[in-house]
Amino acid sequence: MTKEEFKGRLISVVKEYIRDEEGYDDNAQLCIKPATMDAYLADSREVDVESPDIECYDVMELVEMNPEGKWKVDEASVEAVAEEYFK
C-alpha cells in the first residue's frame, strides 16, 4: 500500500463518520491496525485504546467545519496521520 492509498482509506473512513456522525458516540475513534494498515471507525466504549494491535485517533481531530457550518475532512490532519506510517 502506498501513502496515497492509505491516505485515501483514511479519508474514506472520516467521510463515513461525517455521513453518519449521529451513529457514533462523542469520542468516536479512527482505529488503525498497523500490521495490516486497515482503518475503521469505532465508538470509544467499544475500543481498547491501550491495545498494542491498534492505534486510535479521535476522529474529531480529523474533521473541520466549512464556512456553511458542515463537517469536512481536515486534509492536513489526515496527511499528518498518514505521514506517521510512511516516514
Side-chain angles (χ1 to χ4, degrees), residues 9 19-20 78:
R9 176 67 183 134
R19 280 191 302 275
D20 188 27
V78 170

Side-chain angles (χ1 to χ4, degrees), residues 26-71:
D26 290 340
N27 296 311
Q29 301 289 300
L30 181 143
C31 301
I32 299 170
K33 293 181 181 179
T36 62
M37 300 301 278
D38 186 34
Y40 61 94
L41 285 172
D43 282 333
S44 61
R45 63 184 173 269
E46 297 173 353
V47 65
D48 177 8
V49 295
E50 300 299 320
S51 171
D53 298 327
I54 60 172
E55 296 178 359
C56 297
Y57 300 84
D58 185 339
V59 76
M60 290 304 292
E61 294 177 7
L62 304 171
V63 297
E64 62 185 353
M65 186 106 15
N66 69 17
E68 292 82 36
K70 296 188 186 262
W71 292 118

Side-chain angles (χ1 to χ4, degrees), residues 3-14:
K3 179 180 170 185
E4 288 305 311
E5 290 170 331
F6 183 61
K7 186 177 166 185
R9 176 67 183 134
L10 297 178
I11 289 170
S12 176
V13 172
V14 174

